[in-house]
Amino acid sequence: SAVISQKPSRDICQRGTSLTIQCQVDSQVTMMFWYRQQPGQSLTLIATANQGSEATYESGFVIDKFPISRPNLTFSTLTVSNMSPEDSSIYLCSVDWLAGNEQFFGPGTRLTVL
Amino acid sequence: GENVEQHPSTLSVQEGDSAVIKCTYSDSASNYFPWYKQELGKRPQLIIDIRSNVGEKKDQRIAVTLNKTAKHFSLHITETQPEDSAVYFCAASSGGGADGLTFGKGTHLIIQP
């Protein structure tokens, strides 16, 4: 199976700043997704990262707050913009390289906003 | 959109006993139902999944059943072991490879020695 990595693994940021999280896969994948997991909670889908086109956002998530890039089939970034303490979460990318719904998760990025 | 309900939120069983976690979904178009295990501080790991054209699937000590009519699916773990202690999440997707997953709220499974 492919290896999924995320950078950074964790960060502590100040209110009002932005952080870009990278997700790298060691083989080409069809689909990439971004999820948020707030402390002690379940996972919530933020958006689907589409290669070569704008990301598809779920209800409650907007491009201005969570801009996403996917320049190729192995890489995607998620930016958390103008952060507030409520953005403190684990952000996870997932990949579905078989286009068959089996999603595998990266190790996550633990973000703390002060 | 899809809504996935999961019960119980916490389940404590004696080592060696069986554990059952249940989920219901709302969207009749959903056709893919994975289960993930998440240990503390780790990423969710896919442990088993089932598609809507199958009623039951087994993999060693774990099994998943699906009732499409009732829109519910369940995870069964037999002969539980201490390493089964974790949070388990069910999820649903309408499939096609282009959809993300809608997760249940999770079940904290505790295996008592």
Side-chain angles (χ1 to χ4, degrees):
Chain A
S1 59
V3 175
I4 309 166
S5 60
Q6 285 186 233
K7 289 182 182 180
S9 59
R10 59 178 62 223
D11 208 341
I12 301 173
C13 300
Q14 295 298 318
R15 180 196 299 260
T17 62
S18 298
L19 177 72
T20 296
I21 302 166
Q22 299 178 5
C23 179
Q24 178 77 54
V25 190
D26 69 351
S27 61
Q28 293 186 344
V29 298
T30 306
M31 305 299 297
M32 295 181 80
F33 303 91
W34 286 97
Y35 291 82
R36 179 174 74 182
Q37 187 173 28
Q38 294 178 301
Q41 303 296 313
S42 183
L43 292 88
T44 302
L45 179 65
I46 298 172
T48 302
N50 300 308
Q51 195 268 326
S53 64
E54 197 170 281
T56 305
Y57 290 85
E58 297 299 303
S59 176
F61 298 96
V62 295
I63 188 171
D64 290 347
K65 177 67 176 177
F66 298 102
I68 288 170
S69 78
R70 187 163 177 208
N72 56 52
L73 293 176
T74 64
F75 185 78
S76 178
T77 67
L78 168 75
T79 299
V80 186
S81 302
N82 188 24
M83 289 184 286
S84 66
E86 292 71 38
D87 293 320
S88 296
S89 286
I90 298 172
Y91 291 86
L92 300 117
C93 66
S94 75
V95 305
D96 173 4
W97 58 82
L98 297 174
N101 296 118
E102 293 175 340
Q103 289 189 27
F104 298 91
F105 285 87
T109 295
R110 182 180 295 271
L111 171 62
T112 302
V113 184
L114 303 177
Chain B
E2 175 66 278
N3 182 50
V4 178
E5 300 282 340
Q6 183 171 349
H7 299 280
S9 57
T10 304
L11 178 59
S12 181
V13 301
Q14 291 293 125
E15 181 178 351
D17 288 350
S18 296
V20 180
I21 302 170
K22 299 183 179 182
C23 289
T24 60
Y25 62 97
S26 62
D27 188 352
S28 57
S30 289
N31 56 12
Y32 176 67
F33 308 93
W35 287 86
Y36 288 84
K37 175 184 180 181
Q38 188 174 34
E39 297 176 76
L40 191 62
K42 303 280 185 66
R43 74 185 81 183
Q45 297 231 316
L46 178 67
I47 57 171
I48 196 167
D49 57 12
I50 192 166
R51 300 179 191 275
S52 59
N53 57 348
V54 176
E56 183 176 3
K57 184 177 178 180
K58 285 185 179 179
D59 183 3
Q60 300 183 337
R61 293 187 299 110
I62 60 174
V64 58
T65 59
L66 171 65
N67 183 327
K68 285 176 56 181
T69 303
K71 293 185 192 168
H72 68 70
F73 56 112
S74 301
L75 177 71
H76 305 252
I77 305 174
T78 59
E79 300 173 13
T80 53
Q81 300 169 2
E83 53 265 35
D84 295 328
S85 294
V87 179
Y88 291 79
F89 294 99
C90 63
S93 170
S94 56
D99 293 343
L101 300 171
T102 300
F103 282 84
K105 291 190 183 302
T107 296
H108 186 193
L109 177 61
I110 302 165
I111 308 301
Q112 303 279 5

